[in-house]
């Protein structure tokens, strides 16, 4: 099993920056080739992919809405995934979830592609 714990959420003004972290325990990312992703869910909306990264950081994916503003990265030695968010907008307000999965052929960018989820961290961007 894998436990994921997000941190770094909070309140920020539009145009500001914030970095989210997601620390895993129970299994190491590198040993089990664990791809990871960040999702978000705003009130009344479906949970959507924000960004994803393969286990060796060889490939990344970004939703169109965050391209050029957000950066996903990982430090396998620390078993941690990061999401750097710049130029934040009020529409980025949501609960952000970290997700991870073992080796699989499932799509990297869909909710069903992940086995493990964090509890979520609230990000609020004020206008």
């Amino acid at each position: 099993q894998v436990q994921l714990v997000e941190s770094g959420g909070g309140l920020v003004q539009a145009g500001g920056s914030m970095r989210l972290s997601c620390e895993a325990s129970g299994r190491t990312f590198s040993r089990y080739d664990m791809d990871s992703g960040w999702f978000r869910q705003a009130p009344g909306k479906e949970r959507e992919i924000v960004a994803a990264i393969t286990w060796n950081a060889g490939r990344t994916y970004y939703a169109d809405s965050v391209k050029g503003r957000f950066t996903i990265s990982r430090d396998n030695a620390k078993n941690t995934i990061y999401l750097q968010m710049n130029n934040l907008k009020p529409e980025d307000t949501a609960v952000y979830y970290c997700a991870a999965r073992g080796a699989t052929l499932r799509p990297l960018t869909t909710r069903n592609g992940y086995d493990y989820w964090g509890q979520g961290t609230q990000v609020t961007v004020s206008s």
Side-chain angles (χ1 to χ4, degrees), residues 5-105:
V5 179
E6 302 99 337
S7 60
L11 175 65
V12 65
Q13 287 189 329
S17 297
M18 183 179 289
R19 189 174 83 156
L20 304 183
S21 300
C22 172
E23 185 173 0
S25 61
R27 284 188 175 183
T28 58
F29 281 150
S30 57
R31 180 176 178 183
Y32 290 94
D33 295 352
M34 300 193 75
D35 301 331
S36 301
W38 286 96
F39 288 73
R40 67 186 181 187
Q41 188 167 16
K45 294 188 176 181
E46 295 287 321
R47 190 173 300 188
E48 62 177 4
I49 182 76
V50 175
I53 187 168
T54 52
W55 69 274
N56 61 353
R59 184 163 64 99
T60 57
Y61 168 86
Y62 295 95
D64 288 343
S65 58
V66 307
K67 279 182 182 176
R69 300 189 298 122
F70 290 12
T71 302
I72 189 171
S73 61
R74 66 190 304 149
D75 185 340
N76 285 344
K78 295 182 178 180
N79 243 20
T80 301
I81 305 296
Y82 304 97
L83 184 68
Q84 177 66 43
M85 305 184 291
N86 298 328
N87 190 22
L88 282 159
K89 303 176 181 180
E91 50 264 43
D92 295 318
T93 295
V95 177
Y96 283 69
Y97 297 89
C98 174
R101 66 188 198 172
T104 178
L105 297 178

